[in-house]
Amino acid sequence: MLLIDIVYVVLLFITLIAWWKTSLAGRRNVLVALSIATFIAIGYGYTIHRWQLVPGLAIVALLWLFFLVRSLRALSDDLPWLSGSILTITALVPAFLIYTFPVRPLPAPTGDAAVGVVEFELVDEGRKGLLGVAADQPRRLLVRAWYPASDVSGTEVRPYFTPAESSTTATGPGSIVGLPFYFTHVGNALTNSHVMAKPAADLGKLPVVIYSHGYTSFAGQNTVFMEALASHGYLVFSVHHTGDGSAAVMPNGDVIPMAPEILESFSEEIDPNEPNPFEALVTGDTFEIRRQGNIDTYYSETKTQTRLRLLSGDIWVTDREFVQEKLAEGDVPEAVQHIVSLGDYTRTGEMGMSFGGTTSASLCMTNKRCAAAINLDGGDYHYNTFNRHLPVPFLMVYSDMDGLASALTDGRKTTGYGFNAFSYERHETMGLRDDVHRVMISDVTHIGISDFNWFVRRPFRDALLGVIDAEDILQIQNDLVLGFFDTYLRNQASDFPTGVVAKHAGLLREYDISEALREDWISRNPEDTNVRVMMETSAGDIELAIYPERAPVSANNFLAYVDGGHYTNTSLYRVTRIGEGASRISVVQGGRAGDAMAGPADEVANSYALLPPISHETTETTGIDNERGTIAYARFDPGTAGSEFFFNVHDNPGLNSGNTNNGRDGHGYATFGRIIRGLKVLEAIQLMPAERATSIELLQGQLLTDPVVIERVYRIDN
C-alpha cells in the first residue's frame, strides 16, 4: 500500500468519526479541514495515477452539501443517521478500490543473483515508414534487458512504469476495453530490477532469451519471469514493437505512440449473423471440424484483420531477426555494450506472449540461432507453423480453453483442445517428439498470463484475468519458463514438464491429444502412414518419418538398407550451400559412398550400393516436395538411385520433378521422408569446413574435411 493510500484511508476514517460525533468541539471546523486535506490527497493521488482515490471527491462534495443543508436550518445534536449513512457508504467505494487495485512490489525472484536492468534503442535504417510513422522514418525499436547483477549499491530500483510511461505506455492495455486508465496505477509499484547495476562477474557466457510482448502491449508485460530468469543467470531481452505496441518511451524521451488504426480496428462491430470459424476451432466436436475451423479462421482473418495477418506478422519477425543480429554483432549503444557482450548468441531462447508468442514460433521455423521456443497463449497468425515441424524444442502454454469457449458460445465448454493443436508438428507425426510440450493453465484468461494479476483483486480481476490467485499464476509462469530453458537451453537434466505439472496439480495439466489427432489423421489419410527411423551420428541424432505409402519404391529400399544394418559406420560427407560457388541447392548428403567421392569421377558409380538400383519416383507421385526437412535420393540418371541420400536443409524447389532449368533433366529427385527431430543437427553439419580433396570438379569445396560418422540407423516403434 502506498503512503498516500494510508493517508487517504486515515482521513476518511477520521472524517466519518467526526461526522458521527456530533458533540465534538469545533466539529464544523474539523470537518472543513478534513475535507480540504482529503481534496489535496485526492489531487496528489491523481498526479501519480492513483485514480482509485478520485471517487473520494464524492465525500468532499457530500460534506459541503451537508454543511450547506444543515446551515439552512438549526443544527441538531441528534445523530446524523441519514447523512452519516450516506457518507459511510460513499467512503467504502474508494476504500474498496484501493484494496481491489493494490500497489505492491513485485514478488522477489528466486535466483541467487540480484537483477540489473537497462534500456536502449536500435534503429533499422533499412526499413522505413512502418506501422504509423512517416515514410522517411526508420524503424525504431526499444529494447529492455535484464541481467544478473553483482553490486546494486547506490542504484535506482526501476518502477514498473516510469512517470512518463504511466501517462503513455500504461494506457495501452486498458484502451482496448475503453478504460485507458485501468493499469496506470501500476507505475507506483517497484520491480526488483536495479537500473544499470554492475553485471555479475565470472559467470561465463550467459544463455540468452529474447521476448516479444502481446499485440498492443509493452516490453515489461511479463517482468516477473524476466527477473526470475535474470536472477538464475540468464540474459533476457524484451523487444517493444513500436506502432503495434503501447506507446514506447525511448531512452532520449521521444514517445512513439500506438498507431491509431489499431484501436479503430478493435472498435469495429462484428456481424453476429456471420459465422465465426474460430468458434468451430475451439468447440468443434471432431478433429476435422476443428482443423477446418483453423484454416477458415486464417482465411477469414486475412480478409478482416489485414494489418494483423498481412502486415504486422512479417514486421515483428523481422524486428526480432534484426535485434538478434545486432545483439550478436555487439552493434548496440556504447553504454550497454558491456552488458550485451555477456551473452552467448549462438543458441538463443525465443519466447513471447500472445502475438509475441506466435512471432517467436514463426521466427524459429527458419532462424539458425534459435535453440528453443515458448509461445504463451499465442495463435497461428503467421501460419508457417501450421502442419509443419518446428525444428527446435517447443513449449506451448494455453490459458483456460473452457473459459474461452464459454465466452464465444452460449456457455459451452471445449473438448479439451487448444486453438493451435494443428501447428508446430505435422499431423501424421503429431506427438512423436519428446521435446514438444503443450500445457494448459486453469482459471486464467488470455491476458491473465502476464503480471497484471498482481495488481488487481477480485471481483474486477475475474472477468478480465481469471479467478486464479495472483501468486499461483506468477509462480506457474516462472516454473514453466525457467524449467523449459534450463532443460533445452542449458541442457540440464530434468523431469520437465512433469515436475512442474505435479507441483501445480489442479491448476496446470499437460495437454496431450497428439496420439488421438495423429491416428485420426492417418485413418482419413492412409497415404501419410509412416515408419519412424532414428539415425545416430557423431554430431547428434536425426529422427525421420519414412513414407512407404507415398513412396513405396524409395521408402522400402531405404528401409531395406536400414534393416540390414548397411548404414552402420557410414557417413554424412557432402554439403552444399546456396550461393557458394555454383551451388543453387542447400543439402547434406550421406550414405555408403563417402570414400568414393574423392574420385576419380568415372569410378563414382553404385559400386558402394549393396542392393540393386531402384526405379525413379517423382515428387509429383510422392506428393512430397524437396522442401526444408525432407530426405531424398541422390542419383545419376533416373533409375540409378541406390544407397545415397540427401537431406534438404532449406527449400530446394529446383530439385522437384518438372524442373529443366540449369541443365536439370526434369525428373527431379525422389523424396521419401521427413525429419521429425534433428534439423538443427543438419544445419550445424552444413556449416562445417568442406575442404577435403577430390578430383571431381563438381564436388570441389563440398566434401566435409571431417565427415560426420553415421553410427547406427534403426527403426523406432510408433
Side-chain angles (χ1 to χ4, degrees):
M1 182 177 286
L2 298 174
L3 177 60
I4 190 62
D5 294 344
I6 297 172
V7 170
Y8 182 79
V9 170
V10 169
L11 286 172
L12 287 182
F13 182 71
I14 296 175
T15 297
L16 291 175
I17 291 177
W19 187 261
W20 283 99
K21 192 171 181 61
T22 57
S23 61
L24 180 68
R27 176 168 170 262
R28 177 183 290 273
N29 292 334
V30 169
L31 287 169
V32 169
L34 286 170
S35 68
I36 294 173
T38 302
F39 182 79
I40 293 173
I42 293 171
Y44 175 76
Y46 182 78
T47 65
I48 63 170
H49 303 279
R50 196 54 164 133
W51 58 265
Q52 293 82 1
L53 307 187
V54 173
L57 288 173
I59 299 291
V60 178
L62 284 172
L63 280 173
W64 285 92
L65 175 63
F66 292 153
F67 289 156
L68 178 62
V69 170
R70 292 174 67 84
S71 68
L72 295 178
R73 61 184 177 85
L75 291 176
S76 171
D77 290 333
D78 295 336
L79 285 176
W81 291 107
L82 178 60
S83 59
S85 298
I86 294 174
L87 279 175
T88 301
I89 294 172
T90 305
L92 290 176
V93 174
F96 174 72
L97 291 176
I98 290 172
Y99 169 80
T100 306
F101 294 90
V103 174
R104 48 184 176 170
L106 291 185
T110 57
D112 294 332
V115 178
V117 66
V118 65
E119 288 183 337
F120 54 96
E121 179 181 346
L122 294 177
V123 181
D124 188 350
E125 296 287 353
R127 294 185 297 152
K128 295 183 178 181
L130 297 178
L131 303 181
V133 303
D136 62 343
Q137 295 299 306
R139 183 79 174 137
R140 300 175 64 187
L141 297 171
L142 176 67
V143 181
R144 187 179 301 175
W146 292 263
Y147 56 92
S150 57
D151 184 8
V152 298
S153 59
T155 61
E156 175 188 354
V157 177
R158 194 190 199 283
Y160 199 88
F161 292 119
T162 65
E165 290 171 339
S166 293
S167 302
T168 55
T169 309
T171 64
S175 296
I176 304 305
V177 293
L179 301 171
F181 57 84
Y182 198 75
F183 288 112
T184 55
H185 68 290
V186 176
N188 295 291
L190 292 178
T191 68
N192 300 285
S193 303
H194 299 261
V195 179
M196 286 296 290
K198 183 179 180 180
D202 303 324
L203 293 178
K205 284 293 186 180
L206 301 179
V208 171
V209 173
I210 305 177
Y211 168 91
S212 286
H213 55 74
Y215 209 68
T216 73
S217 197
F218 55 94
Q221 175 183 347
N222 289 98
T223 293
V224 171
F225 67 60
M226 306 291 195
E227 292 182 339
L229 284 168
S231 75
H232 284 272
Y234 286 85
L235 178 56
V236 190
F237 298 92
S238 178
V239 181
H240 189 120
H241 297 274
T242 47
D244 279 346
S246 298
V249 180
M250 310 305 281
N252 68 351
D254 289 350
V255 177
I256 302 178
M258 181 192 297
E261 56 265 31
I262 293 181
L263 292 180
E264 293 171 6
S265 68
F266 278 100
S267 64
E268 292 177 359
E269 294 187 5
I270 299 175
D271 187 349
N273 298 316
E274 287 291 322
N276 183 357
F278 190 71
E279 181 179 331
L281 168 59
V282 173
T283 64
D285 293 331
T286 67
F287 286 118
E288 187 58 23
I289 291 175
R290 289 193 293 279
R291 182 179 184 276
Q292 190 60 49
N294 202 153
I295 296 170
D296 292 343
T297 296
Y298 173 75
Y299 286 110
S300 172
E301 292 181 349
T302 298
K303 296 176 182 178
T304 61
Q305 299 184 28
T306 54
R307 179 189 179 94
L308 200 65
R309 287 286 189 180
L310 302 180
L311 182 65
S312 298
D314 289 341
I315 290 175
W316 282 41
V317 170
T318 307
D319 285 348
R320 290 283 291 274
E321 290 173 336
F322 172 75
V323 170
Q324 188 192 68
E325 285 303 310
K326 288 295 182 182
L327 295 174
E329 295 168 359
D331 188 7
V332 297
E334 183 177 355
V336 299
Q337 286 179 355
H338 67 296
I339 294 171
V340 171
S341 66
L342 299 172
D344 175 8
Y345 300 96
T346 60
R347 298 178 68 255
T348 61
E350 306 289 340
M351 69 172 174
M353 191 271 166
S354 191
F355 198 73
T358 187
T359 296
S360 300
S362 178
L363 170 78
C364 289
M365 288 296 296
T366 57
N367 185 270
K368 289 186 177 181
R369 298 185 189 276
C370 174
I374 297 177
N375 180 349
L376 298 171
D377 213 36
D380 290 319
Y381 291 104
H382 297 79
Y383 222 61
N384 64 336
T385 58
F386 181 78
N387 196 22
R388 299 280 300 277
H389 271 302
L390 195 70
V392 296
F394 179 67
L395 172 63
M396 181 69 221
V397 180
Y398 296 99
S399 59
D400 193 316
M401 287 295 102
D402 284 341
L404 176 60
S406 180
L408 288 171
T409 65
D410 54 1
R412 281 183 290 156
K413 292 186 175 182
T414 68
T415 46
Y417 309 115
F419 44 73
N420 56 11
F422 302 94
S423 298
Y424 314 120
E425 299 173 87
R426 289 191 63 84
H427 302 339
E428 71 270 18
T429 53
M430 174 74 73
L432 298 183
R433 289 171 55 181
D434 59 5
D435 61 353
V436 173
H437 309 286
R438 302 172 193 262
V439 297
M440 191 174 294
I441 307 174
S442 299
D443 301 333
V444 69
T445 67
H446 174 69
I447 197 173
I449 302 180
S450 63
D451 298 334
F452 295 146
N453 273 283
W454 191 248
F455 303 109
V456 185
R457 291 192 176 106
R458 307 183 74 175
F460 290 108
R461 184 188 68 199
D462 294 7
L464 186 63
L465 305 172
V467 300
I468 193 169
D469 286 340
E471 291 80 1
D472 287 334
I473 183 58
L474 295 181
Q475 190 60 55
I476 288 172
Q477 292 177 76
N478 285 352
D479 291 344
L480 285 173
V481 170
L482 187 61
F484 177 80
F485 284 130
D486 278 351
T487 302
Y488 294 108
L489 203 55
R490 279 181 160 157
N491 298 319
Q492 294 180 353
S494 74
D495 60 348
F496 183 87
T498 306
V500 178
V501 171
K503 178 180 177 180
H504 300 284
L507 290 174
L508 184 65
R509 67 179 177 88
E510 289 190 72
Y511 164 80
D512 185 12
I513 61 161
S514 52
E515 183 175 354
L517 189 155
R518 182 176 73 247
E519 291 179 352
D520 175 81
W521 177 260
I522 291 177
S523 70
R524 291 180 290 105
N525 300 274
E527 68 275 12
D528 280 337
T529 300
N530 58 83
V531 177
R532 292 169 68 196
V533 169
M534 179 65 74
M535 181 178 292
E536 296 177 353
T537 81
S538 57
D541 294 346
I542 302 166
E543 187 175 343
L544 304 169
I546 306 300
Y547 294 82
E549 299 297 326
R550 286 188 173 276
V553 175
S554 302
N556 286 316
N557 180 72
F558 182 78
L559 293 172
Y561 274 93
V562 169
D563 295 340
H566 302 318
Y567 286 130
T568 301
N569 292 325
T570 57
S571 66
L572 298 170
Y573 51 79
R574 180 189 179 199
V575 298
T576 65
R577 296 181 276 262
I578 295 174
E580 287 196 6
S583 180
R584 298 182 178 87
I585 59 174
S586 172
V587 305
V588 172
Q589 184 171 324
R592 297 177 51 82
D595 293 337
M597 290 299 169
D602 57 2
E603 294 183 7
V604 181
N606 252 349
S607 58
Y608 40 79
L610 298 180
L611 302 174
I614 58 174
S615 59
H616 182 68
E617 290 175 307
T618 67
T619 53
E620 293 175 351
T621 301
T622 65
I624 304 173
D625 286 342
N626 280 277
E627 62 186 14
R628 188 169 186 256
T630 55
I631 182 173
Y633 271 122
R635 63 170 176 82
F636 295 104
D637 295 326
T640 63
S643 61
E644 306 311 286
F645 56 85
F646 63 86
F647 295 104
N648 288 291
V649 183
H650 295 90
D651 290 349
N652 292 308
L655 301 183
N656 293 334
S657 305
N659 179 39
T660 56
N661 296 327
N662 304 311
R664 301 287 185 194
D665 59 22
H667 294 280
Y669 290 77
T671 48
F672 57 89
R674 301 180 186 274
I675 297 169
I676 297 176
R677 180 168 55 90
L679 186 55
K680 286 291 180 180
V681 174
L682 290 165
E683 288 180 345
I685 293 172
Q686 192 191 38
L687 297 177
M688 291 179 176
E691 301 173 351
R692 187 180 175 197
T694 176
S695 62
I696 304 173
E697 184 62 29
L698 175 66
L699 302 183
Q700 294 293 338
Q702 296 183 359
L703 298 185
L704 289 175
T705 305
D706 296 306
V708 173
V709 177
I710 299 176
E711 298 167 346
R712 189 164 69 115
V713 186
Y714 55 93
R715 296 194 194 211
I716 306 174
D717 291 335
N718 282 347

